[in-house]
């Protein structure tokens, strides 16, 4: 080894150390910023997850409540990615025990990512006004027509009975309406509680209101239907909500709760239905054979301040058979019992209480 | 003792070697520096867009029928609920527990009560005159107060039947306009009453509102003639970095476009 190499101090090591330190500082700074950004993104994502969990918990609660909840009823619902704490508070208890109770349902979603730890990573509270619906309907007559009725004379059979076909409830009048042409020829075959035919029973609005059907709420989305079309041949008693007019022809059968916001126009060979029919406008019983076992109401648009046309009972061989049947009425209304969200009354970022 | 010097050839070789190494190192450092600069700019742009989304989405989601009262590509004016409750008879009402900070800082623009159809009627003349400890007027209507709720008195009597759901609202205008904090750039402004504040900047000139129209929520860049047909908004938040990253001539951009359906809206 030469003296030159032995005595010269090198600078490679300090240079390398300096460069490594410099790169380490730069890398650490960069990583720190990326980590901060990821944390912000993660927090935002978990808040979104908590929101979804809160909504899921709310819907699961409302769909699963079997009986009317007590004030302050609370439950924890576990869902994928966390859990929701749901609390129901009564806001209004009407004196009429059959009327709907108003609730406020609050759901706090808590998001937990087990890869990060057991500490909640996101929390969000939403709330929803909801009504406990009893699914009850006032049975004032087998055929209630707030819009009046025009009966055309002819060789038709018109049978409207107010006696309960399943024998569970007292008999009710056959017809209740504001106006009726008459006397029809041939005469009506009516059975039930007197007076069998109540015409001139009040204004259309009065008769519509006395049904206790909250028609504005029904039209405004207060009922969530199973279908938005008429279910021909369906015997499962679904809720069918048709917006506008409904025309049914041919040979038709159906069941459940049939709601038509416009007119119900029947034609063809026969129409047979089991359950409850609620119509905003008129009904034209224009089928050759019209039969309903349950309850029928028309002219409910009177509640909206509209003036629907009169219901038509056609003559000329178009038979009409209406039978009050409490069992089929109850079966048709059974799906309505439960907590139903009040449309357009949803709250975000609500206080926990 | 004699020391040998470096020969010219050794010196030249050393210079060339150091030159090559130095150039490579410099290119590496410059590239790395530009990469870091671009990444930082992207982070800034992303944070601007994300913060804009977080601050606006929760408010807009609660908008109801009649809640959107003006709309343009660069601004919307909405009535945002800040407290919900139920009307009692006379001038009394109960509020469900509101967010205390929001409730204390809100600038009330009116009250909206819900019709049985689900639509809302707005009253901009009514005010909250105070709170009351009395429960008589509400319990007479079988209306209860939730723990943490507030019983209030209103300036008008019998606005709607007892038991009617209502909310108190603020009128808020969101606008993309020139930034005061960063001259020459755009910012998202929020006006409540007489207070106009720049809540976030900078945004690109492409930042704007689009409109979700009809039951299919079709996206339109210009508002329809009838605001009632607007079912929600799309926020096109094109965030920018504060500065121009090295090696680039324009600020970095990051786009978020959340779609917000007005939940308290009758779907048409």
């Amino acid at each position: 080894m030469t003296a030159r190499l032995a005595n010269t101090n090198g600078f490679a090591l300090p240079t390398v150390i300096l460069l490594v330190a410099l790169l380490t500082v730069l890398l650490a700074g960069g990583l720190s910023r990326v980590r901060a950004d990821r944390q912000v993104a993660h927090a935002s994502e978990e808040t979104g997850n908590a929101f979804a969990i809160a909504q899921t918990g709310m819907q699961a609660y409302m769909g699963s409540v079997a009986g009317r909840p007590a004030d302050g009823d609370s439950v924890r619902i576990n869902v994928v990615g966390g859990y929701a704490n749901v609390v129901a508070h009564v806001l209004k208890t009407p004196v009429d025990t059959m009327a709907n109770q108003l609730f406020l349902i609050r759901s706090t979603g808590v998001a937990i990512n087990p890869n990060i730890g057991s500490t909640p990573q996101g929390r969000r509270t939403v709330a929803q006004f909801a009504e406990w619906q009893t699914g009850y309907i006032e049975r004032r007559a087998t055929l209630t027509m707030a819009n009046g009725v025009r009966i055309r004379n002819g060789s038709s059979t018109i049978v409207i009975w107010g006696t309960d076909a399943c024998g569970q409830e007292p008999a009710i009048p056959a017809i209740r309406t504001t106006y009726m042409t008459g006397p029809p020829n041939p005469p009506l075959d009516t059975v039930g509680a007197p007076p069998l035919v109540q015409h001139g029973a009040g204004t259309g609005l009065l008769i519509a209101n006395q049904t206790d059907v909250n028609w504005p709420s029904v039209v405004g989305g207060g009922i969530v239907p199973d279908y938005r079309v008429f279910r021909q041949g369906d015997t499962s008693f679904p809720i069918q909500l048709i917006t506008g007019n409904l025309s049914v022809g041919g040979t038709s059968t159906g069941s459940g709760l049939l709601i038509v916001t416009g007119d119900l126009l029947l034609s063809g060979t026969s129409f047979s239905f089991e359950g409850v029919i609620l119509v905003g406008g008129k009904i034209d019983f224009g089928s050759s054979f019209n039969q309903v076992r349950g309850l029928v109401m028309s002219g409910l648009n009177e509640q909206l301040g509209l003036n629907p046309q009169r219901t038509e009972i056609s003559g000329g061989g178009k038979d009409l058979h209406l039978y009050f049947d409490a069992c089929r009425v109850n079966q048709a209304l059974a799906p309505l019992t439960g907590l139903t969200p009040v449309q357009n009354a949803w709250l975000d970022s609500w206080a926990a209480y | 003792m004699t020391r040998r010097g470096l020969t010219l050839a050794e010196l030249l070789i050393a210079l060339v070697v150091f030159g090559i190494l130095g150039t490579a190192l410099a290119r590496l450092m410059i590239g790395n520096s530009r990469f870091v600069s671009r990444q930082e700019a992207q982070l800034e742009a992303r944070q601007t867009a994300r913060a804009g989304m977080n601050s606006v989405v929760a408010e807009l989601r609660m908008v109801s029928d009649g809640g959107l009262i003006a709309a343009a590509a660069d601004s919307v004016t909405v009535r945002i609920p800040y407290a919900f409750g139920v009307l009692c008879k006379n001038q009394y009402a109960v509020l469900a527990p509101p967010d205390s900070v929001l409730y204390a800082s809100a600038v009330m623009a009116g009250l909206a009560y819900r019709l049985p159809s689900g639509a809302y009627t707005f009253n901009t003349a009514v005010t909250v005159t105070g709170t009351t400890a009395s429960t008589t007027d509400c319990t007479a209507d079988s209306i209860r107060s939730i723990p943490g709720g507030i019983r209030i008195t209103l300036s008008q009597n019998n606005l709607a039947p007892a038991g009617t759901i209502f909310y108190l609202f603020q009128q808020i205008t969101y606008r993309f306009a020139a930034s005061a904090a960063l001259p020459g750039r755009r910012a998202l402004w929020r006006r409540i009453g007489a207070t106009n504040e720049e809540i976030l900047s900078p945004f690109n000139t492409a930042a704007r509102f689009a409109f979700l129209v009809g039951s299919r929520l079709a996206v339109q860049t210009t508002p329809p003639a009838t605001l009632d047909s607007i079912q929600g908004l799309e926020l096109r938040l094109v965030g920018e970095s504060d500065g121009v990253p090295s090696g680039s001539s324009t600020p970095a951009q990051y786009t978020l476009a959340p779609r917000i359906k007005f939940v308290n809206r009758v779907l048409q």
Side-chain angles (χ1 to χ4, degrees):
Chain A
M1 182 178 288
T2 65
R4 172 170 60 95
L5 290 176
N7 294 335
T8 301
N9 291 327
F11 57 87
L13 184 60
T15 304
V16 168
I17 290 172
L18 185 66
L19 279 173
V20 168
L22 190 64
L23 286 172
T24 304
V25 169
L26 283 173
L27 198 61
L31 282 174
S32 172
R33 287 190 61 99
V34 169
R35 190 177 172 194
D37 182 63
R38 284 198 56 172
Q39 283 177 339
V40 171
H42 185 71
S44 182
E45 181 187 340
E46 293 301 339
T47 304
N49 289 342
F51 176 74
I53 290 168
Q55 284 290 92
T56 304
M58 168 103 65
Q59 288 164 6
Y61 177 77
M62 288 210 269
S64 65
V65 172
R68 191 171 66 193
D71 187 22
D73 182 43
S74 64
V75 63
R76 173 169 291 186
I77 296 173
N78 292 314
V79 298
V80 175
Y83 59 86
N85 289 330
V86 185
V87 180
H89 278 290
V90 177
L91 269 177
K92 186 179 185 194
T93 308
V95 177
D96 178 1
T97 54
M98 297 307 292
N100 297 335
Q101 274 196 344
L102 182 64
F103 283 82
L104 184 64
I105 316 294
R106 186 266 285 154
S107 176
T108 300
V110 179
I112 297 176
N113 185 344
N115 294 327
I116 296 177
S118 58
T119 308
Q121 283 94 45
R123 190 181 292 270
R124 188 80 179 269
T125 300
V126 298
Q128 167 77 59
F129 286 90
E131 281 186 335
W132 176 260
Q133 294 186 340
T134 57
Y136 182 80
I137 199 166
E138 193 69 33
R139 293 114 152 108
R140 285 185 176 265
T142 305
L143 175 60
T144 301
M145 296 166 289
N147 52 333
V149 59
R150 185 168 58 181
I151 302 176
R152 291 182 176 156
N153 291 333
S155 56
S156 307
T157 303
I158 303 175
V159 180
I160 305 175
W161 288 4
T163 48
D164 183 4
C166 81
Q168 291 200 345
E169 294 188 8
I172 58 176
I175 294 176
R176 181 174 169 78
T177 186
T178 53
Y179 170 88
M180 187 172 80
T181 55
N185 181 25
L188 302 174
D189 176 0
T190 53
V191 177
L196 292 175
V197 178
Q198 298 178 337
H199 61 91
T203 64
L205 178 61
L206 177 71
I207 290 178
N209 285 340
Q210 285 178 341
T211 61
D212 276 354
V213 174
N214 188 346
W215 191 245
S217 173
V218 171
V219 173
I223 285 182
V224 180
D226 299 312
Y227 302 99
R228 291 193 175 272
V229 293
F230 172 63
R231 294 282 293 171
Q232 150 68 19
D234 195 328
T235 58
S236 66
F237 280 74
I239 299 176
Q240 302 142 85
L241 172 60
I242 287 85
T243 304
N245 297 340
L246 171 64
S247 297
V248 182
T251 301
S252 303
T253 61
S255 68
L257 175 58
L258 175 61
I259 302 169
V260 182
T261 63
D263 297 334
L264 173 58
L265 308 168
L266 306 177
S267 61
T269 309
S270 71
F271 173 80
S272 297
F273 192 86
E274 294 185 353
V276 175
I277 298 178
L278 305 179
V279 178
K282 70 170 184 177
I283 304 175
D284 186 352
F285 291 103
S287 176
S288 297
F289 180 79
N290 308 273
Q291 177 173 282
V292 178
R293 294 182 180 278
L295 213 60
V296 181
M297 295 181 186
S298 70
L300 293 170
N301 283 342
E302 290 277 356
Q303 289 188 16
L304 306 177
L306 303 176
N307 189 19
Q309 291 182 326
R310 292 202 168 95
T311 283
E312 300 263 356
I313 297 178
S314 302
K318 298 181 189 307
D319 295 340
L320 175 62
H321 294 256
L322 302 180
Y323 303 102
F324 171 51
D325 188 319
C327 296
R328 288 180 170 89
V329 170
N330 292 335
Q331 195 173 354
L333 299 177
L336 295 181
T337 301
L339 268 180
T340 303
V342 176
Q343 294 294 304
N344 305 329
W346 177 86
L347 296 60
D348 191 6
S349 299
W350 212 242
Y353 51 86
Chain B
M1 191 168 66
T2 59
R3 287 177 61 100
R4 284 187 58 201
L6 294 171
T7 65
L8 181 60
E10 286 176 329
L11 194 61
L12 286 174
I13 290 170
L15 278 174
V16 169
V17 170
F18 273 104
I20 291 170
L21 287 176
T23 303
L25 190 62
R27 287 177 65 90
L28 187 69
M29 294 293 284
I30 290 168
N32 186 55
S33 169
R34 285 180 177 171
F35 174 75
V36 169
S37 176
R38 279 198 303 272
Q39 289 303 308
E40 287 184 346
Q42 277 284 337
L43 288 179
E44 287 175 3
R46 191 155 57 233
Q47 285 170 2
T48 300
R50 196 176 284 136
M53 183 183 77
N54 291 341
S55 66
V56 176
V57 167
E59 289 187 333
L60 288 178
R61 202 179 267 132
M62 279 193 290
V63 169
S64 71
D65 277 285
L68 179 64
I69 56 179
D74 63 348
S75 71
V76 293
T77 300
V78 284
R79 290 162 168 162
I80 305 281
Y82 67 91
F84 273 78
V86 176
L87 292 173
C88 305
K89 67 182 178 184
N90 300 327
Q91 75 272 38
Y92 298 103
V94 293
L95 291 176
D99 182 281
S100 56
V101 175
L102 177 61
Y103 186 74
S105 62
V107 179
M108 181 180 173
L111 179 150
Y113 59 87
R114 184 184 180 279
L115 302 173
S117 65
Y120 280 86
T121 295
F122 292 86
N123 184 328
T124 54
V126 69
T127 58
V128 175
T129 55
T131 58
T132 175
S134 170
T135 59
T136 308
D137 286 282
C138 290
T139 52
D141 297 315
S142 307
I143 296 167
R144 304 181 185 185
S145 181
I146 291 177
I150 303 172
R151 287 185 291 273
I152 58 172
T153 53
L154 301 167
S155 60
Q156 294 181 16
N157 286 345
N158 301 318
L159 290 165
T164 300
I165 294 169
F166 75 96
Y167 64 74
L168 307 177
F169 62 87
Q170 304 187 88
Q171 184 164 310
I172 300 178
T173 298
Y174 291 103
R175 179 185 301 278
F176 289 104
S179 169
L182 295 170
R185 313 290 288 278
R186 273 164 72 87
L188 179 60
W189 293 78
R190 185 172 186 259
R191 174 186 285 277
I192 305 177
T195 306
N196 195 19
E197 60 175 343
E198 180 176 337
I199 57 175
L200 218 51
S201 63
F203 284 97
N204 185 269
T205 51
R208 52 168 297 144
F209 296 96
F211 308 95
L212 308 180
V213 179
S215 57
R216 293 178 181 275
L217 304 181
V219 180
Q220 286 186 201
T221 52
T222 54
T226 308
L227 294 183
D228 283 347
S229 62
I230 297 178
Q231 302 286 336
L233 295 174
E234 181 182 274
L235 299 181
R236 296 188 179 172
L237 299 166
V238 187
E240 284 189 341
S241 58
D242 287 355
V244 177
S246 58
S248 177
S249 59
T250 56
Q253 291 181 13
Y254 186 83
T255 302
L256 270 178
R259 291 183 179 179
I260 305 153
K261 164 85 177 63
F262 298 154
V263 177
N264 291 324
R265 181 86 171 74
V266 177
L267 193 62
Q268 295 177 336

